Amino acid sequence: MTVADRGSGTSGVSGANSVAGAAAQPAREAVALLDEYRRGDFFLSTAERTVLARGAGVVVEGHDPAELDRELDRVLADAPGSMAVGVLPFDADSAATPARLTVPQRLWTSEPAHEAVRQRAARAVPAPATVTPVPEPERHRAAVRRALDELHGDGSHADPLRKVVLARALDITFDIGIDPAVLLYNLVREHSTGFTFAADLPGERAVPRTLVGSSPELLVRRRGDRVIAHPHAGSAPRTGDPETDERHAAALLASAKDHAEHAMVIEAVVDALRPLCRNLDVPAAPALEATPTMWHLGTAITGELREDVSALRLAAALHPTPAVCGTPTAAARELVRELEPFDRAYYAGAIGWVDAAGDGEWVVSIRCAEVASRTLRLYAGGGIVAASEPEAELAETTAKFRTLLRAMGLSPEL
């Protein structure tokens, strides 16, 4: 684990505090916070609040959640009213992708931003120069067929593979620079119920990279001794045509395959939370959840903590759920490494915050893009179970790309 006390020398923000962290600044309107976001800031807008953090008083990086939690306890004790914000990778064991949390020099929180921005016009995004699928569609179908072979294995394993999540990407280049602030603004405008975010990514790179997206999925939220997780699994596209969307929703609610996939995720989340909670409330059936581009099956699981476990530790205990990796986790992650032609890095990780009391909120970093100076990499994945079909899985990832493509004003057919 590494800890760097940056003081006030790295933020470049006029009036930034020189202490390790800063309490929230005077209240600002959520739209003002969105307008003031710039590359390098941390931004998260949810149905409950908007957070804008600027400057890095202290940066904590590492792979061990317990060590990270202890160090943040120490740092936040010296920064009353502040919080640590940051990102967790998909693969906590990868040396190349540490968890990274910063205690900002300036911090603002406000009411939710989504509704206040909906009345505004979208912002223009430059036209792309090239769009390259990674892998090509047929290679993704082949990867799904290979995963199905594993799922239909000979039964010799004591804990056989039940699900694996496979992702693909779109690499988009531009002739001029692309500003993550424009994508963030358009995503906040379109996703009134989503978790919309932007965060710089760790790593020694000549060109900074920012993860920007609008996730439908809450990994975990803690407030006092109350905890909630809201996993999603099982999905169907929305087209914008009411009759078609109604048919898709009905088909999803009736799908045995999607309900079985969803049940695997709920089982894993409950297994992770049960030792930490006095009681858990788990609805008997999932609810239909909507984003502008997708239908999902979602289950809100609530509980009362037995002891003081921070939101960061809860996120680490839950992540990665079968919704983004598969089950059992180790076997699914190994197959992901074998079949995907890229390192996920912080895609399908988590983004969020934790404060000195241990309260916080972490969301699954999906429906997102990694933004460099003139390039974007969009990600989309789908859960593969024994009843999956390669063509349908390809179509699911195409539908999920639409979240970012719409924010860019591009055709969903790319």
Side-chain angles (χ1 to χ4, degrees), residues 58-69:
V58 173
V59 178
V60 179
E61 290 188 359
H63 298 275
D64 185 328
E67 288 187 12
L68 290 167
D69 203 44

Side-chain angles (χ1 to χ4, degrees), residues 191-351:
H191 293 264
S192 59
T193 59
F195 301 91
T196 308
F197 57 84
D200 266 18
L201 297 178
E204 298 298 328
R205 299 183 177 97
V207 178
R209 293 181 178 269
T210 305
L211 194 68
V212 180
S214 190
S215 174
E217 187 167 356
L218 173 69
L219 179 63
V220 68
R221 178 187 297 127
R222 196 201 97 159
R223 184 179 294 160
D225 64 356
R226 306 303 297 177
V227 60
I228 179 171
H230 198 164
H232 290 56
S235 59
R238 296 184 70 193
T239 66
D241 174 70
E243 291 186 3
T244 302
D245 287 350
E246 188 175 340
R247 287 198 302 272
H248 287 180
L252 178 60
L253 286 170
S255 169
K257 176 255 187 189
D258 287 286
H259 278 270
E261 180 184 346
H262 188 82
M264 294 179 200
V265 178
I266 302 310
E267 176 187 335
V269 171
V270 169
D271 285 348
L273 288 179
R274 194 179 300 283
L276 305 173
C277 293
R278 292 189 182 91
N279 54 68
L280 284 176
D281 181 12
V282 185
L288 186 67
E289 313 277 354
T291 76
T293 60
M294 299 293 296
W295 293 114
H296 294 286
L297 297 179
T299 297
I301 300 168
T302 58
E304 181 184 3
L305 291 172
R306 294 180 188 276
E307 55 190 64
D308 189 15
V309 182
S310 75
L312 176 61
R313 292 295 298 274
L314 288 167
L318 289 168
H319 179 71
T321 74
V324 294
C325 182
T327 188
T329 302
R333 186 156 43 201
E334 188 59 35
L335 194 57
V336 166
R337 291 171 179 154
E338 177 185 342
L339 295 180
E340 291 181 358
F342 48 75
D343 184 344
R344 290 189 182 185
Y346 296 89
Y347 161 67
I351 181 167

Side-chain angles (χ1 to χ4, degrees), residues 136-222:
E136 293 288 339
E138 180 48 41
R139 283 191 61 195
H140 185 72
R141 284 189 287 259
V144 173
R145 289 192 289 269
R146 170 77 169 78
L148 288 170
D149 288 342
E150 292 293 319
L151 288 160
H152 295 136
D154 59 13
S156 61
H157 297 287
D159 192 10
L161 187 69
R162 299 166 61 201
K163 175 184 176 180
V164 63
V165 179
L166 294 182
R168 65 188 188 103
L170 290 179
D171 282 349
I172 302 180
T173 66
F174 299 85
D175 291 329
I176 61 175
I178 181 76
D179 186 353
V182 175
L183 289 179
L184 177 67
Y185 180 94
N186 289 347
L187 287 168
V188 172
R189 178 180 174 273
E190 284 210 359
H191 293 264
S192 59
T193 59
F195 301 91
T196 308
F197 57 84
D200 266 18
L201 297 178
E204 298 298 328
R205 299 183 177 97
V207 178
R209 293 181 178 269
T210 305
L211 194 68
V212 180
S214 190
S215 174
E217 187 167 356
L218 173 69
L219 179 63
V220 68
R221 178 187 297 127
R222 196 201 97 159

Side-chain angles (χ1 to χ4, degrees), residues 22-58:
Q25 303 293 306
R28 302 286 299 278
E29 289 187 0
V31 173
L33 299 188
L34 179 61
D35 287 341
E36 291 182 14
Y37 166 83
R38 62 178 185 245
R39 187 190 288 268
D41 293 345
F42 174 95
F43 183 95
L44 177 63
S45 191
T46 76
E48 295 196 342
R49 65 180 56 81
T50 298
V51 176
L52 175 66
R54 179 169 295 167
V58 173

Side-chain angles (χ1 to χ4, degrees), residues 347-408:
Y347 161 67
I351 181 167
W353 60 272
V354 62
D355 66 16
D359 291 343
E361 190 169 43
W362 291 87
V363 302
V364 184
S365 52
I366 53 177
R367 311 298 146 76
C368 59
E370 195 174 300
V371 186
S373 58
R374 296 189 179 185
T375 64
L376 285 175
R377 168 164 279 187
L378 278 64
Y379 295 97
I384 316 301
V385 294
S388 294
E389 298 176 355
E391 193 62 40
E393 296 302 328
L394 179 68
E396 180 176 331
T397 57
T398 299
K400 289 175 177 177
F401 280 135
R402 291 176 58 217
T403 295
L404 266 295
L405 293 175
R406 281 168 55 118
M408 298 167 66

